[in-house]
């Protein structure tokens, strides 16, 4: 390839304030206008963005010790339980956790107006959070009960650690049954009356680096309005799925586990969500910079909505009971237009992920890099790629 | 003229073909926006009536004569732009495109004058940015 740039060269330009940074939307027009080689020579970094519900998210918190000391057995933040099965005053609050007394789906469909994601949002917003903890008491930790009110400034550490974010691709959800169903893809009207999707398409991080060439362990990213890092592949990372000619996965595929200091994040980019009939979760904002090392990387970032397809999946039976059904694929350009065709029928599309917010993230990250306050990182280790031999496992049935 | 009204029925009135009479005898275009009518129970009907001024007023007189309580539509949907994350899920449920996505920017907007207060958007908004407000009627 004619163009070769190193991470160090690009960072040197960022430090001098000379790096050319564009968003994953803007790059499309630039490549069309200037051609691959010229554009690859000029552009140093392409920024991506995504902002949507990501249930596999949460935060580790160290509350500091009480006097007398306590080894927390159970802990609640605004009535939402955080996992305390780690050291004395450490806990993990999960985005999908519900308050102890939530009516759930007892009156169907349940409202799920508050959960762990809402707690994290309020914590980041600097609001007061009610802390309750109980313990059995030991010689070293005699305290059996703590009740207090805290803010994020009162705790030692609070860091977001999300086991699975930024799904590379996702299903387009429909409902083949005769009744309305309530899912994590939102309300699905009966007899295929809407089709729900969740991706930022041409702006989405892993659609712009489909083979995880520059996104790996240690990659510095935009996370929740602050700076974070890719910590590992995400759970259910399954890169060896069928892919299009351009290398884009035709289904789920790669995921990321990400980490970052909650204290420097922004509540606008970590928002608690309520899915009727399903549960509570959190919208997470993620933006990943893609260094243009050569023409190949530029070609990846020039991906357009029309190049991206996602599988259409029935959520009345196909998904819940893992029944294979071939319902075809939806093109992301069509999904964004508001209508797609399923089995010859025109269907309204329901987005779950916010495209305007994804665009905003890509622009914020662009400004950070342009202003020299955010440098790109060479991955410490790569993520398992499309040639990995990963088998997608399920829970064994009828054992024990 | 065109106007949105709420009709409250007694249990007995809910058996009558009121919409039929409005169309047939008063030459009104009736668009039912929301209804809760069950045999032998009280109910309500939110509808938009369209026709000449005479026809509209005639229709209202007819409704009042048979004892239906008619009120202007006083419920309002409020969209809180600060809480909205612009996902756009609501727009696909809105029957009148009061909540709509501008496809170039993918931004959501709300046009109050198009809203018929059906309430479909309330359940599908994951940030609860959409709320229903209504004026409290004085006790009869």
């Amino acid at each position: 390839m004619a163009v070769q740039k190193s991470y160090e060269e690009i960072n040197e330009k960022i430090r001098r304030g000379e790096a050319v940074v564009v968003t994953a939307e803007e790059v499309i027009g630039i490549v069309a206008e200037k051609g691959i080689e010229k554009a690859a020579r000029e552009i140093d970094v392409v920024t991506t963005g995504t902002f949507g519900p990501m249930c596999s998210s949460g935060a580790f918190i160290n509350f500091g010790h009480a006097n007398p000391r306590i080894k927390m057995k159970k802990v609640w933040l605004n009535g939402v339980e955080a996992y305390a099965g780690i050291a004395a005053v450490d806990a993990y609050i999960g985005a999908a956790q519900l308050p102890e007394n939530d009516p759930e789906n007892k009156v169907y469909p349940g409202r799920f107006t508050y959960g762990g994601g809402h707690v994290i949002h309020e914590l980041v917003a600097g609001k007061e959070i009610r802390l309750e903890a109980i313990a059995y008491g030991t010689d070293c930790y005699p305290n059996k009960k703590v009740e207090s009110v805290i803010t994020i400034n009162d705790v030692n550490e609070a860091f977001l650690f999300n086991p699975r974010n930024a799904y590379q691709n996702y299903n387009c959800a429909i409902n083949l049954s005769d009744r309305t169903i309530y899912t994590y893809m939102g309300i699905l009207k009966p007899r295929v009356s809407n089709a729900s999707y969740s991706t930022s398409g041409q702006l989405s991080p892993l659609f712009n680096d489909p083979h995880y060439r520059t996104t790996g362990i240690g990659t510095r990213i935009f996370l929740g309005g602050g700076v974070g890092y890719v910590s590992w592949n995400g759970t259910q990372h399954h890169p060896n799925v069928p892919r299009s000619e351009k290398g884009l996965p035709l289904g789920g595929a790669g995921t990321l586990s990400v980490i970052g200091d909650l204290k420097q994040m922004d509540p606008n980019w970590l928002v608690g969500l309520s899915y009727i009939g399903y549960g509570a979760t959190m919208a997470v904002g993620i933006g990943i910079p893609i260094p243009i090392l050569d023409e190949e990387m530029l070609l990846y970032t020039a991906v357009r909505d029309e190049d991206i397809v996602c599988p259409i999946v029935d959520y009345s039976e196909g998904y819940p009971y893992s029944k294979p059904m071939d319902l075809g694929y939806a093109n992301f350009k069509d999904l964004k237009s508001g209508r797609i065709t399923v089995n010859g029928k025109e269907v309204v599309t329901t987005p779950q992920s916010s495209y305007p917010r994804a665009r905003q993230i890509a622009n914020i990250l662009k400004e950070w890099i342009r202003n020299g306050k955010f440098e790109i990182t060479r991955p410490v280790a790569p993520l398992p790629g499309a040639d990995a031999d990963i088998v997608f496992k399920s829970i064994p049935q009828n054992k024990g | 003229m065109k106007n949105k009204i709420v009709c409250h029925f007694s249990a007995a009135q809910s058996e009558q073909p009121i919409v039929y009479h409005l169309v047939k005898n008063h030459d009104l275009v009736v668009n039912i926006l929301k209804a809760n009518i069950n045999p032998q129970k009280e109910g309500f009907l939110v509808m938009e009536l369209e026709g000449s001024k005479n026809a509209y007023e005639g229709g209202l007189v007819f409704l009042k004569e048979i004892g239906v309580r008619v009120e202007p539509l006083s419920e309002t949907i409020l969209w809180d732009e600060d809480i909205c994350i612009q996902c756009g899920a609501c727009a696909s449920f809105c029957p009148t495109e009061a909540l709509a996505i501008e496809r170039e920017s993918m931004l959501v907007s709300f046009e109050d004058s198009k809203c018929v207060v059906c309430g479909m958007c309330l359940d599908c908004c994951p940030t609860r940015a959409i709320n229903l407000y209504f004026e409290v009627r004085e006790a009869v």
Side-chain angles (χ1 to χ4, degrees):
Chain A
M1 271 175 265
V3 180
Q4 296 284 338
K5 278 182 261 183
S6 69
Y7 287 88
E8 292 71 24
E9 282 165 8
I10 294 172
N11 274 337
E12 189 50 44
K13 286 178 88 174
I14 293 173
R15 281 193 285 271
R16 289 200 304 264
E18 291 168 5
V20 176
V21 190
V22 300
T23 70
E25 271 186 324
E26 293 162 345
V27 72
I28 296 167
I30 298 172
V31 168
E33 187 195 320
K34 300 190 173 179
I36 297 289
E37 193 186 321
K38 186 153 188 279
R41 219 174 279 285
E42 286 179 18
I43 299 169
D44 298 305
V45 184
V46 172
T47 58
T48 63
T50 185
F51 187 69
M54 304 192 196
C55 291
S56 215
S57 300
F60 280 105
I61 301 170
N62 175 284
F63 299 104
H65 279 282
N67 192 6
R69 290 176 192 260
I70 184 169
K71 173 180 160 8
M72 294 173 172
K73 179 187 169 193
K74 281 181 178 286
V75 55
W76 296 268
L77 295 170
N78 281 353
V80 180
E81 190 173 357
Y83 180 74
I86 39 181
V89 287
D90 281 346
Y92 183 80
I93 175 89
Q97 188 72 38
L98 297 172
E100 214 58 25
N101 53 0
D102 193 277
E104 299 169 350
N105 265 339
K106 288 184 188 77
V107 179
Y108 175 83
R111 257 53 189 174
F112 304 100
T113 52
Y114 199 79
H118 299 82
V119 174
I120 294 169
H121 172 80
E122 292 186 357
L123 201 59
V124 177
K127 291 194 179 158
E128 291 189 333
I129 306 283
R130 199 172 71 255
L131 167 70
E132 298 161 272
I134 55 166
Y136 49 83
T138 71
D139 291 338
C140 46
Y141 294 109
N143 203 336
K144 290 183 180 171
K145 193 175 182 189
V146 164
E147 281 184 17
S148 187
V149 173
I150 60 159
T151 71
I152 195 165
N153 296 320
D154 298 322
V155 304
N156 286 317
E157 288 83 17
F159 56 92
L160 201 67
F161 189 8
N162 303 345
R164 182 169 76 250
N165 281 178
Y167 235 123
Q168 194 165 12
N169 197 351
Y170 215 82
N171 296 339
C172 170
I174 58 164
N175 172 12
L176 291 173
S177 77
D178 289 329
R179 68 171 184 98
T180 297
I181 60 172
Y182 300 88
T183 74
Y184 68 81
M185 293 296 283
I187 301 173
L188 298 175
K189 293 192 269 188
R191 296 174 291 279
V192 198
S193 299
N194 65 328
S196 178
Y197 66 98
S198 187
T199 166
S200 57
Q202 62 196 13
L203 270 171
S204 179
L206 294 184
F207 272 134
N208 284 277
D209 183 14
H211 291 290
Y212 333 113
R213 221 188 118 199
T214 62
T215 309
I217 294 162
T219 298
R220 186 181 292 117
I221 61 171
F222 171 108
L223 177 60
V227 172
Y229 298 87
V230 174
S231 48
W232 202 249
N233 59 262
T235 53
Q236 287 178 206
H237 180 70
H238 190 209
N240 46 328
V241 295
R243 288 174 184 251
S244 72
E245 274 175 27
K246 294 191 175 184
L248 303 173
L250 303 179
T255 67
L256 299 177
S257 169
V258 298
I259 194 163
D261 183 2
L262 207 58
K263 292 192 177 189
Q264 42 99 54
M265 292 186 193
D266 179 333
N268 278 322
W269 303 105
L270 294 170
V271 178
L273 302 179
S274 306
Y275 275 81
I276 183 169
Y278 170 71
T281 181
M282 182 166 71
V284 179
I286 292 181
I288 299 185
I290 315 272
I292 304 304
L293 304 175
D294 50 31
E295 289 97 324
E296 185 191 17
M297 283 320 296
L298 183 74
L299 256 180
Y300 288 142
T301 61
V303 66
R304 297 163 305 167
D305 286 339
E306 48 265 54
D307 302 327
I308 299 169
V309 295
C310 56
I312 299 171
V313 175
D314 165 50
Y315 274 65
S316 67
E317 288 212 8
Y319 182 84
Y321 301 104
S322 300
K323 287 187 184 171
M325 294 181 190
D326 186 9
L327 298 166
Y329 290 89
N331 177 288
F332 189 61
K333 190 184 179 194
D334 297 338
L335 285 167
K336 246 173 85 187
S337 77
R339 281 172 200 283
I340 60 166
T341 306
V342 182
N343 286 339
K345 180 185 172 186
E346 195 173 77
V347 180
V348 172
T349 62
T350 305
Q352 300 300 333
S353 153
S354 172
Y355 195 84
R357 288 289 201 102
R359 181 185 283 140
Q360 237 180 307
I361 289 171
N363 276 308
I364 293 170
L365 185 53
K366 179 171 86 175
E367 287 312 307
W368 286 358
I369 300 171
R370 276 187 177 168
N371 297 338
K373 63 181 261 194
F374 186 108
E375 292 183 18
I376 55 157
T377 29
R378 180 198 297 274
V380 175
L383 302 172
D387 54 355
D389 189 19
I390 295 175
V391 180
F392 210 57
K393 298 189 181 77
S394 306
I395 298 171
Q397 285 198 329
N398 305 324
K399 284 193 180 172
Chain B
M1 65 179 294
K2 196 155 112 173
N3 204 11
K4 291 170 201 157
I5 58 167
V6 186
C7 300
H8 295 271
F9 301 88
S10 68
Q13 288 154 355
S14 66
E15 301 283 312
Q16 294 183 36
I18 287 164
V19 173
Y20 170 81
H21 289 298
L22 286 173
V23 175
K24 178 100 173 151
N25 302 341
H26 298 278
D27 195 24
L28 286 166
V29 178
V30 179
N31 186 14
I32 298 173
L33 308 170
K34 193 175 183 180
N36 185 2
I37 303 166
N38 298 292
Q40 275 104 50
K41 278 187 185 163
E42 288 187 342
F44 71 89
L45 183 63
V46 182
M47 58 187 173
E48 190 176 61
L49 298 180
E50 190 177 358
S52 70
K53 194 165 185 291
N54 277 345
Y56 178 79
E57 282 168 2
L60 287 196
V61 169
F62 156 73
L63 288 171
K64 281 171 189 162
E65 274 175 2
I66 61 167
V68 173
R69 200 170 83 236
V70 180
E71 288 173 349
L73 184 64
S74 57
E75 290 175 316
T76 315
I77 290 287
L78 290 186
W79 170 60
D80 190 335
E81 206 173 343
D82 294 335
I83 295 175
C84 173
I85 57 167
Q86 302 284 342
C87 71
C90 55
S92 66
F93 290 88
C94 180
T96 61
E97 293 180 357
L99 281 158
I101 298 174
E102 198 282 300
R103 292 290 158 183
E104 192 56 37
S105 65
M106 291 300 283
L107 286 167
V108 176
S109 62
F110 176 61
E111 202 175 318
D112 186 44
S113 63
K114 287 186 182 172
C115 175
V116 295
V117 202
C118 70
M120 281 300 292
C121 52
L122 301 173
D123 286 343
C124 64
C125 175
T127 58
R128 309 271 141 177
I130 309 171
N131 287 293
L132 174 67
Y133 288 89
F134 48 91
E135 292 167 22
V136 179
R137 276 194 308 274
E138 285 178 34
V140 179

